[in-house]
């Protein structure tokens, strides 16, 4: 068996230890005589798995009791609609900070459900930075302020926690959740698809302060109603059981490695290896504003774009895959989530260095 070094932006590489555990549990989870996939979601075994995963989310991230932890479906893209359907009704309006492709998509979707106000945008400067706090023009009538904490496509990350006063801050953390500690109490709601840093696709984690319940629009589908899902422990409908189980294994693994502080150190070190190299390269460069560079998705370009194909080909020959940038961004992107080892990032850096030497 040969495993590649997988720089995919998501679904993305998972810790090998987690995959081995899943493999050994495959036919018979802890003497139950069943695979987790085959269990009734209401049976005692899966009830335990769900409760365990939920308590790991609370422990690892530090989620206070007055926040609900929900496991939903439809990914972060469905949350773009589910969020306004549930929260916008409080005032009929919401503020959006637009820092890239994902937050722009969120903003556009939300406008179907109420009045959307763009509080800040970096679109005119090509989505290369996170709008600084003093450029945020918040409206007093917003039910919430939405941001994306890590723009997966542009490689732009917000390394600070915005202050939105009494208006709840909502963050799409799909691609940087669990990569560093956060202060959950500074947010009204956080959502994230699992397939970047927490497990397989199919489950979306939603953490929401319970006092925000009670404003769902009448059209809100029951399966997508936060309050109802909280009351039913994410079991109003059959939850994505297997994805929840894997998320539990991933969180257990993070905890064993020292939790989010350890992840932060590990991720900072990896990102630095690439950015340090990019800043001194004569062939490769990164365009993102220094303070806003993502530690999860390192985007870069070749000064001579005619070399793109041979760069990718050479990488694949060395077992490094999925380095092509998003189709809307071009260039390259190395996604280096929690599960990407430092040694693999160094391998990429060494390959880039070698490629540079033979092409300049
Ligand atoms: C991947 C991603 C999404 C989309 O997730 P889906 O699971 O496809 O809905 C949304 N926002 C961000 C920041 C992402 O990284």
């Amino acid at each position: 068996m040969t495993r590649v070094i997988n720089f995919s932006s998501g679904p993305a590489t998972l810790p090998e230890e987690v995959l081995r555990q899943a493999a050994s549990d495959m036919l018979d989870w802890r003497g139950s005589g069943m695979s987790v996939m085959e269990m009734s979601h209401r049976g005692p075994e899966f009830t335990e798995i769900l409760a365990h995963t939920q308590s790991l989310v609370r422990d690892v991230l530090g989620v206070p009791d007055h926040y609900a932890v929900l496991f939903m479906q439809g990914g972060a893209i469905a949350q773009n609609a589910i969020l306004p359907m549930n929260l916008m009704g409080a005032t009929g309006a919401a503020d959006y900070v637009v820092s890239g492709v994902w937050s722009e998509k969120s903003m556009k979707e939300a406008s179907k459900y109420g009045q959307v106000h763009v509080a800040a945008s970096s679109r005119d400067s090509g989505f290369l930075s996170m709008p600084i706090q003093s450029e945020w023009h918040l409206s007093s009538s917003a039910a919430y302020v939405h941001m994306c904490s890590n723009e997966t496509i542009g490689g732009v990350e917000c390394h600070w926690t915005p202050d939105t006063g009494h208006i709840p801050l909502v963050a799409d953390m799909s691609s940087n959740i669990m990569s560093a500690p956060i202060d959950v109490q500074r947010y009204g709601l956080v959502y994230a698809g699992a397939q970047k840093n927490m497990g397989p696709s199919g489950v979306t984690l939603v953490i929401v302060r319970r006092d925000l319940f009670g404003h769902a629009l009448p059209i809100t589908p029951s399966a997508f109603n936060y309050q109802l899902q909280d009351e039913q422990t994410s079991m109003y409908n059959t939850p994505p059981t297997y994805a929840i189980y894997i998320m539990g294994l991933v969180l257990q693994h993070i905890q064993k490695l020292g939790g989010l502080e350890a992840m932060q150190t590990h991720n900072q070190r990896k990102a630095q290896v690439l950015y340090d190299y990019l800043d001194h390269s004569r062939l490769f460069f990164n365009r993102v504003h220094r303070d806003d560079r993502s530690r999860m998705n390192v985007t870069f370009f070749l000064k001579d774009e005619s070399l793109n194909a041979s760069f990718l080909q050479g990488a694949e020959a060395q077992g490094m895959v999925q380095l092509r940038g998003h189709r809307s961004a071009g260039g390259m992107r190395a996604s280096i989530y929690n599960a990407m080892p430092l040694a693999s990032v160094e391998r990429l850096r060494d390959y880039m260095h070698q490629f540079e030497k033979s092409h300049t």
Side-chain angles (χ1 to χ4, degrees), residues 16-32 34-36 242 245-246 249:
E16 201 170 302
E17 189 183 305
V18 165
L19 297 176
R20 287 186 191 283
Q21 181 67 47
S24 91
D25 288 346
M26 184 56 74
L27 295 181
D28 178 10
W29 183 80
R30 296 194 192 165
S32 65
M34 301 177 265
S35 160
V36 173
Y242 198 74
Y245 153 75
I246 299 285
L249 295 183

Side-chain angles (χ1 to χ4, degrees), residues 74-78 102 148 150-152 172-175 193 195-196:
I77 290 180
W102 286 119
C148 175
N150 185 64
E151 289 284 357
T152 323
D172 174 359
M173 293 196 181
S174 293
S175 53
Q195 73 270 22
K196 288 23 185 296

Side-chain angles (χ1 to χ4, degrees), residues 171-218:
D172 174 359
M173 293 196 181
S174 293
S175 53
N176 70 348
I177 194 160
M178 306 292 173
S179 68
I182 57 164
D183 183 357
V184 174
Q185 309 225 43
R186 302 275 301 273
Y187 299 85
L189 187 149
V190 164
Y191 65 91
Q195 73 270 22
K196 288 23 185 296
N197 232 353
M198 295 188 291
S201 60
V203 59
T204 317
L205 177 66
V206 177
I207 298 166
V208 51
R209 216 172 61 210
R210 289 198 177 92
D211 67 350
L212 300 176
F213 290 163
H215 302 287
L217 303 178

Side-chain angles (χ1 to χ4, degrees), residues 97-99 119-122 128-138 145-150 156-165 169-173 176 179-183 186-187 264 268 289-295:
V97 173
V98 177
S99 55
S121 172
S122 57
L128 296 175
S129 64
M130 183 70 201
I132 57 172
Q133 178 89 62
S134 60
E135 288 170 0
W136 291 30
H137 302 292
L138 303 178
V145 182
H146 179 282
M147 66 172 299
C148 175
S149 59
N150 185 64
V156 172
E157 186 168 8
C158 182
H159 295 291
W160 42 279
T161 312
D163 180 0
T164 52
L169 176 63
V170 172
D172 174 359
M173 293 196 181
N176 70 348
S179 68
I182 57 164
D183 183 357
R186 302 275 301 273
Y187 299 85
Q264 183 172 35
Q268 269 167 348
H289 191 289
R290 248 162 219 275
D291 294 340
D292 304 324
R293 287 170 164 181
S294 172
R295 293 183 187 133

